[in-house]
Amino acid sequence: MDKLNSTLTAVKNLRSNVKQCFEHLADGTDGEGGEESRNKFVHDFQERFGAINSQLREVEQLINGLQVPPTAYSLGNTAYLAQETSQDRQALYPQLVNSYKWIDKVHDHSFLAFNNLNQNTLRRSYNYCSQKRQRLPFSSFNNDPDHIDKLLSEINTAPHTSYRIFRPFGTNAVAIVTISNVMKAAIVFKGVLIEWVTVKGFDEPLEHDDLWAESRYEVFRKVQEHAHSAMLHFFSPTLPDLAVKSYVTWLNSHIKLFLEPCKRCGKFVANGLPPTWRDLRTLEPFHEECRNC
């Protein structure tokens, strides 16, 4: 910007001196004063003309200093954007130059990285890599029908809780969990992974045709939202059996949904709802508004 300001100042001074020179030439001499007056006029004009020539050379040098070397950044016809009279269009050319510089640096860094990676001597053979790719499949994709039955039978120790398993989707199981006379929950499995949970009241139907329908009670719709959060919390493809057992244990903690007060505020009802949230570690009941307090 300093070079540009200096160049503009030099051009302004050049134009002013040229104007004064032509005004002096237009005034001329009226012939009075004789030879001496004419000689003085010619001498003044030569001095002014010499000053203009020196200023013109200075302006040319400053302009050459502003020009970008043609070998550095050749942006073709986009260079004419700098000659636009509109300020919005004048701002496009510096942005193009900065983008070109950034892309040029990225190209240089990628070229250096490519050369460094090619010089890496810690390469492994194709056979070693193919052996590393042969991993044992996760047990979470185990579709053995007896596995889910055995797994749920091992955790069917909670009183007043029953499980009923059916398979409307082939080998993948759906477990209907009935928790006392409080609520029902349909757990949809894919292998041993829990994919969906639907919670309804004890008096509501919950069969394979109702797996995706929400409860008509607000309290159980809220419990279903918390059940989805817990499903993501206990998700573990490497330890699916433990994840299912932990999740069902958490779900069984709702057996006293309407009988336990909130551990934070001590109230049984807040905003028309009982404490629908169960702590993921301690299984203590909380209202949704109280769990983050």
Side-chain angles (χ1 to χ4, degrees):
M1 292 301 295
D2 294 338
K3 291 184 179 180
L4 181 60
N5 292 330
S6 300
T7 304
L8 293 176
T9 303
V11 172
K12 182 179 179 180
N13 294 333
L14 176 62
R15 293 182 61 182
S16 178
N17 290 335
V18 169
K19 180 181 178 181
Q20 293 177 4
C21 181
F22 278 100
E23 288 178 353
H24 179 72
L25 184 63
D27 292 340
T29 178
D30 54 2
E32 297 180 356
E35 187 68 22
E36 183 180 356
S37 177
R38 285 192 294 271
N39 292 335
K40 184 177 182 303
F41 173 79
V42 172
H43 179 70
D44 291 342
F45 178 77
Q46 289 177 349
E47 287 183 354
R48 292 176 183 271
F49 189 76
I52 289 174
N53 285 333
S54 61
Q55 287 183 346
L56 181 61
R57 288 192 294 270
E58 181 182 358
V59 169
E60 290 178 348
Q61 292 177 358
L62 292 173
I63 292 176
N64 292 330
L66 291 176
Q67 292 179 352
V68 180
T71 56
Y73 300 103
S74 178
L75 301 184
N77 294 330
T78 56
Y80 294 106
L81 290 173
Q83 302 178 5
E84 288 284 348
T85 57
S86 175
Q87 294 183 357
D88 296 338
R89 294 185 178 180
Q90 287 179 355
L92 293 177
Y93 183 70
Q95 294 177 3
L96 288 174
V97 173
N98 292 332
S99 300
Y100 187 86
K101 291 180 179 178
W102 184 82
I103 294 175
D104 194 40
K105 289 182 180 179
V106 171
H107 183 269
D108 293 339
H109 288 308
S110 61
F111 181 75
L112 294 175
F114 176 77
N115 292 334
N116 290 331
L117 291 175
N118 282 338
Q119 296 175 1
N120 186 9
T121 58
L122 300 177
R123 294 182 179 179
R124 297 174 178 175
S125 63
Y126 175 78
N127 293 330
Y128 178 80
C129 294
S130 61
Q131 291 176 1
K132 293 293 288 183
R133 292 192 189 100
Q134 295 177 359
R135 299 177 179 177
L136 295 176
F138 286 134
S139 59
S140 57
F141 300 105
N142 185 3
N143 290 327
D144 185 8
D146 297 332
H147 183 74
I148 293 293
D149 298 350
K150 181 180 178 181
L151 180 61
L152 293 179
S153 64
E154 292 177 354
I155 58 179
N156 190 12
T157 57
H160 309 293
T161 301
S162 61
Y163 302 89
R164 181 168 58 90
I165 300 175
F166 60 97
R167 291 177 171 80
F169 310 118
T171 57
N172 293 320
V174 176
I176 304 296
V177 183
T178 303
I179 301 176
S180 186
N181 295 331
V182 179
M183 68 181 193
K184 299 177 183 178
I187 305 177
V188 181
F189 291 91
K190 182 177 182 182
V192 194
L193 293 179
I194 300 175
E195 281 208 332
W196 184 258
V197 179
T198 301
V199 178
K200 289 189 176 183
F202 180 77
D203 58 338
E204 293 182 282
L206 188 56
E207 299 294 335
H208 66 278
D209 296 334
D210 308 312
L211 294 179
W212 319 114
E214 292 184 344
S215 173
R216 65 175 181 267
Y217 301 112
E218 183 179 357
V219 58
F220 295 113
R221 292 197 298 268
K222 186 64 65 175
V223 172
Q224 180 172 326
E225 293 180 7
H226 300 330
H228 289 167
S229 301
M231 176 183 65
L232 298 176
H233 174 79
F234 292 110
F235 177 80
S236 177
T238 55
L239 299 172
D241 293 356
L242 179 61
V244 172
K245 292 180 181 180
S246 301
Y247 182 77
V248 174
T249 302
W250 177 87
L251 198 63
N252 284 330
S253 64
H254 293 80
I255 193 170
K256 295 183 180 180
L257 178 63
F258 301 101
L259 300 177
E260 291 182 330
C262 175
K263 290 294 183 181
R264 181 73 62 183
C265 65
K267 297 180 181 179
F268 286 89
V269 178
N271 296 326
L273 294 175
T276 56
W277 173 255
R278 295 297 183 272
D279 188 86
L280 298 172
R281 298 180 62 183
T282 63
L283 305 181
E284 293 179 342
F286 292 92
H287 292 113
E288 186 177 15
E289 299 82 5
C290 298
R291 62 172 180 168
N292 296 325
C293 295

